[in-house]
């Protein structure tokens, strides 16, 4: 049954419409409360003695595409309680309708809160003006801050990880409830003491999923020693891949000897590769000076003082991690490589023509980039003795050794075959890493101890030693279903919120927007 729409249905409950006019820009609605008495905020006594009336100007939700201003005829009451310090008090309304001293209704404040959560300050203010609810960006952020974060239920399974305020300079910590799939708090730094203090207040936690950094492991061990710690499986797989890459870097001298390119023929290099080769020769002079000092038993600190090089550089040289001839960086052609490969397979191999076609597809690079790529492809297809004298970078070798042979070119296949024949320790390291990946994917818990015994005598021994120290967490990663993937996803959302606010939001505002929105 249809019911008539009364004007009072358009205003907040508890009010009656007395009049409504339009002044050309705004709809002005005069309302009065329906109650007969008021509640004293001091003694909580009810009084019906009216002292006077006054008007409150409020902003409400728009009506028919026009801004609305409510003129509330509010009352002042006399308090008859003898011991009450208030003799006269103003009329109070339900906080769900109108808060004390508020300039807008609660339902409009609710809309502003969600606009601020979704869009932040300035974008939300611009959108609100289009919705006929004009508001400043500062007001929106104050609304978000005032509402803050809702209280969270005591978690039993959490994920903890760090996130960057500013990369390589300042970091914070995010903690997520993995069972309810939501973030619950942000910590201002990633110091173990800060995480330990928060964990100590949550004794009911049974499982902590974390990365392989030692800080959170130490905090969890001190605060909740009986809790099960779970190493993140993605980080385990990533660390294993990096361990194999380090093994390749340490073996680059043997690789060059196996390929037969201990000395490189500059005539076979492209212009860009020749520049990198010159840099390699300069690096080799520095490397030899550092290695000569180390052979005489000089400490790293003394080598730093004598050579003037940084401690990190000296450590990389001593670990054999600075012997790459060619350093591969991400190319501007990366997103266009599938198209280029298809054109190359179709015998369209003119560098200038390929560049013109790419330019029509939106490529902004120069002709030289495409010409260098075409030159490398052309030389890669010539599998002769001279092609072996150009050794790829350690990263490229690691990729080629772990890629199926059916995807390699003829030259790449010959190069990898020579490396496998000349450096069998690299082949063993690859098999060890492959076995580790298979163990993680299939969750073969029984294979962990035999794998550690085998890995500890290979080129990835440092990785295996690190897993031995964190063996309980690695066991839990294999046997349980918990992982830190959810936390990584929440960090992605946090980065979006932080960048929306140009990195200027403080911790309370970031926390209100990230956690309040869930």
């Amino acid at each position: 049954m249809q019911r008539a729409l009364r004007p009072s249905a358009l205003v907040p409950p508890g009010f009656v419409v007395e009049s409504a006019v339009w002044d050309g820009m705004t709809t002005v609605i005069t309302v009065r409360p329906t109650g007969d008495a008021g509640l004293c905020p001091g003694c909580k006594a009810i009084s019906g003695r009216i002292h006077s009336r006054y008007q409150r100007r409020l902003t409400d939700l728009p009506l028919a595409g026009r801004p609305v201003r409510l003129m509330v005829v509010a009352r002042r009451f006399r308090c008859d309680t003898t011991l009450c310090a208030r003799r006269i008090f103003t009329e109070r309304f339900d906080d769900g309708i109108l808060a004390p001293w508020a300039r807008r209704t609660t339902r409009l404040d609710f809309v502003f809160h969600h606009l601020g959560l979704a869009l932040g300050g300035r974008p939300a203010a611009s959108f609100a003006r289009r919705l006929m609810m004009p508001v400043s960006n500062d007001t929106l952020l104050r609304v978000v801050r005032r509402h803050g974060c809702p209280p969270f239920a005591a978690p039993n399974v959490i994920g903890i990880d760090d996130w960057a305020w500013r990369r390589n300079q300042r970091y914070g910590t995010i903690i997520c409830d993995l069972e309810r799939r939501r973030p619950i708090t942000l910590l201002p730094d990633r110091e173990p003491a800060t995480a330990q203090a928060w964990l100590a207040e949550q004794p009911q936690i049974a499982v902590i999923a974390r990365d392989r950094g030692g800080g959170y492991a130490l905090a969890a061990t001190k605060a909740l020693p009986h809790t099960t710690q779970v190493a993140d499986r993605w980080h385990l797989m990533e660390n294993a891949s990096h361990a194999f890459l380090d093994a390749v870097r340490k073996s680059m001298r043997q690789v060059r000897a196996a390929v037969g390119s201990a000395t490189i023929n500059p005539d076979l290099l492209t212009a860009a590769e020749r520049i990198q080769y010159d840099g390699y020769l300069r690096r080799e002079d520095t490397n030899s000076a550092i290695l000569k000092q180390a052979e005489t038993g000089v400490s790293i600190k003394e080598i730093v003082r004598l050579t003037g090089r940084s401690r990190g550089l000296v450590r990389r040289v001593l670990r054999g991690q600075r012997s790459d001839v060619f350093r591969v960086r991400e190319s501007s052609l990366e997103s266009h490589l599938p198209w280029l490969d298809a054109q190359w397979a179709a015998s369209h191999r003119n560098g200038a023509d390929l560049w013109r076609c790419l330019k029509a597809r939106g490529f902004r690079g120069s002709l030289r980039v495409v010409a260098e790529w075409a030159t490398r492809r052309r030389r890669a297809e010539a599998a002769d003795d001279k092609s072996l004298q150009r050794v790829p970078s350690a990263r490229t070798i690691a990729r080629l050794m772990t890629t199926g042979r059916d995807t390699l070119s003829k030259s790449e296949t010959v190069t990898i075959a020579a490396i496998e024949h000349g450096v069998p320790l690299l082949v063993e390291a690859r098999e060890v890493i492959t076995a580790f990946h298979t163990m993680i994917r299939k969750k073969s818990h029984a294979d962990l101890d035999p794998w550690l015994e085998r890995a500890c005598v290979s080129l990835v021994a440092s990785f295996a030693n690190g897993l031995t120290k964190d063996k309980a967490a690695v066991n839990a990663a294999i046997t349980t279903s918990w992982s830190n993937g959810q936390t990584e996803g929440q960090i992605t959302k946090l980065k979006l919120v932080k960048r929306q606010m140009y990195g200027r939001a403080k911790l309370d505002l970031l926390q209100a927007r990230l956690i309040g929105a869930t």
Side-chain angles (χ1 to χ4, degrees):
M1 178 180 178
Q2 293 183 343
R3 302 172 65 180
L5 179 63
R6 303 192 177 196
S8 298
L10 301 177
V11 298
F15 294 97
V16 175
V17 176
E18 287 190 342
S19 65
V21 297
W22 180 48
D23 63 3
M25 296 184 62
T26 305
T27 301
V28 182
I29 304 176
T30 304
V31 298
R32 60 177 174 83
T34 56
D36 297 329
L39 184 66
C40 177
C43 63
K44 306 301 180 184
I46 298 176
S47 174
R49 295 182 60 199
I50 298 176
H51 173 270
S52 59
R53 290 178 173 83
Y54 69 100
Q55 283 191 341
R56 290 182 63 177
R57 298 161 59 91
L58 304 173
T59 307
D60 196 17
L61 294 175
L63 179 63
R66 297 171 182 169
V68 171
R69 183 185 304 123
L70 294 183
M71 305 296 292
V72 180
V73 183
R75 298 165 291 186
R76 296 186 180 92
F77 292 90
R78 297 181 184 274
C79 184
D80 296 331
T81 304
T82 305
L83 299 178
C84 183
R86 291 176 180 263
R87 308 313 303 164
I88 299 172
F89 63 90
T90 58
E91 187 170 10
R92 296 294 196 273
F93 303 96
D94 190 339
D95 285 346
I97 299 174
L98 181 61
W101 300 288
R103 294 291 183 177
R104 55 184 171 270
T105 58
T106 301
R107 63 186 185 181
L108 179 61
D109 195 72
F110 179 79
V111 173
F112 285 167
H113 178 222
H114 282 273
L115 281 175
L117 286 178
L119 301 176
R122 195 168 291 124
S126 176
F127 187 54
R129 282 193 296 271
R130 292 176 177 269
L131 298 178
M132 297 302 167
M133 297 182 293
V135 62
S136 72
N137 53 335
D138 291 331
T139 298
L140 285 166
L141 296 183
R142 280 195 295 268
V143 170
V144 173
R145 274 194 166 102
R146 186 177 70 248
H147 283 80
C149 303
F152 60 86
N156 294 318
V157 183
I158 67 167
I160 184 170
D161 205 348
D162 58 4
W163 54 276
W165 283 99
R166 180 171 294 181
R167 186 177 294 276
N168 296 328
Q169 295 187 30
R170 183 185 171 201
Y171 288 84
T173 296
I174 184 172
I175 300 176
C176 298
D177 187 335
L178 299 186
E179 290 182 310
R180 297 174 178 85
R181 307 183 71 85
R182 57 172 296 174
I184 53 180
T185 191
L186 299 178
L187 303 181
D189 54 47
R190 59 176 179 180
E191 295 298 324
T194 305
Q196 180 183 343
W198 189 90
L199 292 172
E201 297 175 356
Q202 306 292 330
Q204 79 286 343
I205 293 177
V207 178
I208 299 177
R210 56 170 176 78
D211 59 15
R212 296 197 58 237
Y216 296 130
L218 179 64
T221 301
K222 289 184 177 180
L224 303 170
H226 303 295
T227 300
T228 300
Q229 298 185 34
V230 181
D232 184 52
R233 285 186 288 276
W234 183 87
H235 281 97
L236 288 172
M237 303 278 279
E238 182 73 5
N239 294 154
S241 299
H242 276 292
F244 180 66
L245 176 59
D246 288 340
V248 175
R249 284 173 174 161
K250 295 174 183 178
S251 306
M252 284 304 293
R253 296 182 186 277
Q254 294 91 327
V255 167
R256 284 194 288 272
V259 175
S261 61
T263 58
I264 295 176
N265 184 2
D267 296 335
L268 299 177
L269 303 180
T270 63
E273 292 169 348
R274 193 173 296 111
I275 294 174
Q276 294 189 45
Y277 179 65
D278 293 339
Y280 160 74
L281 295 178
R282 291 192 296 270
R283 291 197 304 274
E284 279 296 289
D285 293 338
T286 303
N287 294 353
S288 60
I290 293 174
L291 292 173
K292 187 179 296 184
Q293 294 288 342
E295 289 173 359
T296 60
V298 179
S299 65
I300 293 179
K301 185 176 181 180
E302 187 66 17
I303 294 175
V304 170
R305 189 185 67 80
L306 293 173
T307 61
R309 303 293 178 175
S310 68
R311 184 180 181 87
L313 186 144
V314 173
R315 292 175 68 90
R316 287 198 300 273
V317 171
L318 296 181
R319 291 174 178 176
Q321 298 177 354
R322 200 169 177 261
S323 57
D324 274 357
V325 179
F326 303 102
R327 299 179 176 183
V328 177
R329 298 180 180 177
E330 184 175 356
S331 170
S332 56
L333 285 174
E334 200 71 30
S335 58
H336 301 281
L337 288 180
W339 182 86
L340 283 172
D341 290 337
Q343 294 295 314
W344 193 268
S347 299
H348 185 192
R349 302 184 177 186
N350 184 282
D353 289 342
L354 290 174
W355 174 71
R356 282 190 286 270
C357 294
L358 279 177
K359 199 172 181 181
R361 295 170 59 89
F363 178 64
R364 296 184 179 182
S366 66
L367 170 62
R368 180 177 178 179
V369 176
V370 182
E372 292 277 359
W373 176 86
T375 301
R376 285 193 296 271
R377 283 299 300 264
R378 196 173 291 110
R379 292 179 179 179
E381 292 186 351
D384 54 14
D385 294 338
K386 292 185 178 180
S387 67
L388 290 180
Q389 296 185 16
R390 194 291 196 196
V391 179
S393 67
R395 185 177 294 274
T396 302
I397 291 174
R399 176 178 61 82
L400 295 178
M401 290 188 69
T402 54
T403 302
R405 289 296 177 87
D406 53 345
T407 63
L408 302 182
S409 66
K410 187 176 181 180
S411 176
E412 291 170 344
T413 302
V414 173
T415 301
I416 295 304
I419 293 173
E420 290 178 347
H421 181 268
V423 193
L425 290 179
L426 269 185
V427 179
E428 182 185 1
R430 181 185 61 185
E431 294 174 353
V432 168
I433 296 301
T434 302
F436 181 79
H437 285 172
T438 303
M439 178 177 61
I440 294 296
R441 290 191 179 99
K442 294 185 176 181
K443 294 189 174 183
S444 304
H445 169 69
D447 297 338
L448 180 58
D449 289 332
W451 182 89
L452 287 174
E453 294 178 2
R454 180 184 179 189
C456 284
V457 294
S458 67
L459 289 179
V460 293
S462 58
F463 173 63
N465 292 333
L467 293 186
T468 303
K469 296 177 183 177
D470 203 20
K471 187 176 178 180
V474 176
N475 273 327
I478 297 174
T479 57
T480 66
S481 61
W482 299 113
S483 177
N484 223 22
Q486 288 185 47
T487 310
E488 297 289 349
Q490 296 294 346
I491 290 175
T492 301
K493 188 185 298 183
L494 174 60
K495 289 178 180 177
L496 173 63
V497 172
K498 186 169 69 72
R499 287 166 183 164
Q500 275 185 340
M501 310 186 78
Y502 301 95
R504 293 198 293 262
K506 293 184 178 179
L507 185 68
D508 61 337
L509 186 56
L510 279 178
Q511 194 162 241
R513 285 200 61 192
L514 179 70
I515 301 174
T518 58

